[in-house]
Amino acid sequence: MRKTLIATAALALLAGTQVPAWAATPTSPADVRVSWSDAASRLMRVTWTDDGAANKLRIEYQGSTVVGDWLTTTDNDFNHRWSVQTGKIARIAVVSTSTTGDSTPAYSPWFDTNVPAAPKLIAAVPQTDGSLRLSWSNSPLPADTTPNDPLDAPASSLGVGAKIWSILDDKEEYFPYKAGTTTAVVPARRHPQYTWVLATNEWGSAPSMRIDYTDMKFALSGVPRFGVFGKPMTISGLAGGLDCQFGGKCRIYPGSGVPLTMQTRASASKPWAYAGRYTSYDLVGFQAESVAVGGREYRFYAPSWKDANGDLIVTAQAISESRYIPTLANFAVVGFNVRTAQVGQLVKLTVDVRPGGTVKGALQRWDGKYWRSVLTVPITKGKAVMYVRAAGRGTTTSYRVAVPGMTYYGLPIQTTGSRSFTLSVR
């Protein structure tokens, strides 16, 4: 009787602690495999076998507690573009899941996520048609830290290419080249543009330093309305690369200095001639000095330019707009020998005007509205001395001497009036 009671109690206890089949956790998946559905777009395929349960997947990294978020699926063939940490060793974990919980995970083989090292830019040379010639050296292939893993692409798949972004158009383009390429010409696009050389593989890309390919711009802010023969004059302005931010806000950026050459010519039918070298700097721009020797056109030439300030800025050679600056005659001496004279007194008029041409000038007086010629003044080699009889008792009159246009070694000198001078008659 006692034995029977003990056996019955034991069976009852055992029956109370058993877990029914419908309450058990799912069986773990098996045979987890990874491959590429499309390596070019980094679309990874994960497959496994299980008993038909729903599943969750995530990416895990060797030696790291950082893991990806669980992704759910009801299919045993899962395609996904994973956001991976590059330069790591990773695997995919798969669990089966049900209302009672998750199975223990099953894992894919380990695979590395190494990306290639960035190309080293050697030169970026603007071309006359607006294209950009690039040359670079390729870095060694990345280390294979999990040899023959299922996601290893062949070494020949290591790519290189150029990516450009036209800032004002907000347009990006990519130009792929054969593996091993070290020089290429990027087609002309609207400037300014950013350009990179990229080394790519199945896990990502590494860019070279950025190239800012832009246009050289000139702002001539201080151009004299005219020059005076034999005297210096200054042309000021700013030259530099067009630096534009997204949205179209632009400025002229001269970096560490833009070398300039000033050029002049007498007319459109004449060739341009060298007239001095200058440098345009940030904030202060440039100031070009010249001596007025006749009316001429002026312009500035900037050669192909580059400036490194974290990124490489390059521009093609460029020429500013031209400005014509006329030249006036230079009256070194002009006027009467006295300021006050008696009626009928002879006063001496002296003229020394440069350049020393032989012309017929005119003594002019101011009538309150206009300068009116009263006497011819014969000027020989720029000089004249003549006597004028004072008239008009009780008057004070303003005078000047005007000379007609002339030339100096083929360069025009404009018709010029001298400063005014007065004569009071008593």
Side-chain angles (χ1 to χ4, degrees), residues 73 120 185 192 347:
T73 181
K120 292 180 174 59
V185 176
V347 296

Side-chain angles (χ1 to χ4, degrees), residues 60-295:
E60 299 179 354
Y61 300 97
Q62 190 177 80
S64 173
T65 58
V66 177
V67 294
D69 294 330
W70 286 111
L71 304 176
T72 60
T73 181
T74 57
D75 194 356
N76 292 34
D77 193 332
F78 186 75
N79 292 272
H80 185 66
R81 291 181 179 86
W82 298 84
S83 178
V84 302
Q85 298 179 33
T86 58
K88 301 288 187 179
I89 296 176
R91 65 184 178 183
I92 302 298
V94 184
V95 299
S96 293
T97 184
S98 70
T99 56
T100 60
D102 297 340
S103 70
T104 56
Y107 298 102
S108 73
W110 290 103
F111 53 86
D112 65 66
T113 61
N114 298 329
V115 297
K120 292 180 174 59
L121 186 69
I122 296 174
V125 182
Q127 305 297 294
T128 55
D129 64 354
S131 60
L132 183 64
R133 177 175 291 278
L134 302 173
S135 59
W136 65 90
S137 62
N138 293 310
S139 300
L141 295 176
D144 188 358
T145 48
T146 55
N148 301 315
D149 75 53
L151 295 179
D152 274 350
S156 60
S157 68
L158 181 69
V160 64
K163 183 176 75 171
I164 65 173
W165 177 42
S166 180
I167 299 172
L168 299 180
D169 294 333
D170 191 20
K171 183 180 179 181
E172 185 176 286
E173 294 179 85
Y174 180 74
F175 302 94
Y177 309 119
K178 292 181 179 179
T181 299
T182 57
T183 183
V185 176
V186 177
R189 293 293 185 268
R190 186 185 181 195
H191 303 153
Q193 71 184 42
Y194 291 162
T195 304
W196 299 264
V197 180
L198 301 178
T200 63
N201 70 356
E202 65 272 23
W203 290 112
S205 61
S208 68
M209 70 182 304
R210 191 180 79 190
I211 306 153
D212 294 2
Y213 183 17
T214 188
D215 295 322
M216 177 62 65
K217 293 294 183 180
F218 301 86
L220 302 182
S221 56
V223 181
R225 292 190 301 110
F226 57 83
V228 176
F229 184 86
K231 291 190 174 183
M233 59 181 182
T234 301
I235 302 173
S236 59
L238 179 67
L242 183 64
D243 179 24
C244 292
Q245 305 300 319
F246 181 67
K249 186 176 182 180
C250 302
R251 69 182 182 113
I252 294 177
Y253 174 69
S256 57
V258 177
L260 301 174
T261 298
M262 184 167 68
Q263 300 174 334
T264 65
R265 67 179 181 182
S267 65
S269 62
K270 302 295 183 181
W272 289 97
Y274 168 82
R277 287 192 175 89
Y278 305 92
T279 301
S280 177
Y281 294 106
D282 202 6
L283 301 179
V284 297
F286 67 89
Q287 291 187 325
E289 301 287 340
S290 183
V291 175
V293 292

Side-chain angles (χ1 to χ4, degrees), residues 5-82:
L5 289 173
I6 292 173
T8 302
L11 288 172
L13 181 60
L14 181 60
T17 59
Q18 284 183 328
V19 178
W22 54 265
T25 56
T27 303
S28 296
D31 195 23
V32 180
R33 301 186 183 188
V34 290
S35 61
W36 290 114
S37 289
D38 182 7
S41 65
R42 302 184 185 96
L43 182 63
M44 187 193 301
R45 182 186 185 194
V46 186
T47 62
W48 63 93
T49 60
D50 60 19
D51 57 5
N55 302 103
K56 295 192 297 187
L57 305 83
R58 72 179 181 188
I59 192 167
E60 299 179 354
Y61 300 97
Q62 190 177 80
S64 173
T65 58
V66 177
V67 294
D69 294 330
W70 286 111
L71 304 176
T72 60
T73 181
T74 57
D75 194 356
N76 292 34
D77 193 332
F78 186 75
N79 292 272
H80 185 66
R81 291 181 179 86
W82 298 84

Side-chain angles (χ1 to χ4, degrees), residues 339-379:
R339 293 184 178 181
T340 303
Q342 300 290 335
V343 172
Q345 178 182 342
L346 291 176
V347 296
K348 182 181 178 182
L349 173 66
T350 302
V351 178
D352 183 357
V353 61
R354 299 165 188 171
T358 297
V359 295
K360 289 184 178 180
L363 177 65
Q364 299 177 331
R365 66 177 178 84
W366 180 248
D367 68 0
K369 289 186 177 180
Y370 305 102
W371 288 103
R372 299 193 179 276
S373 297
V374 293
L375 287 174
T376 296
V377 180
I379 298 174

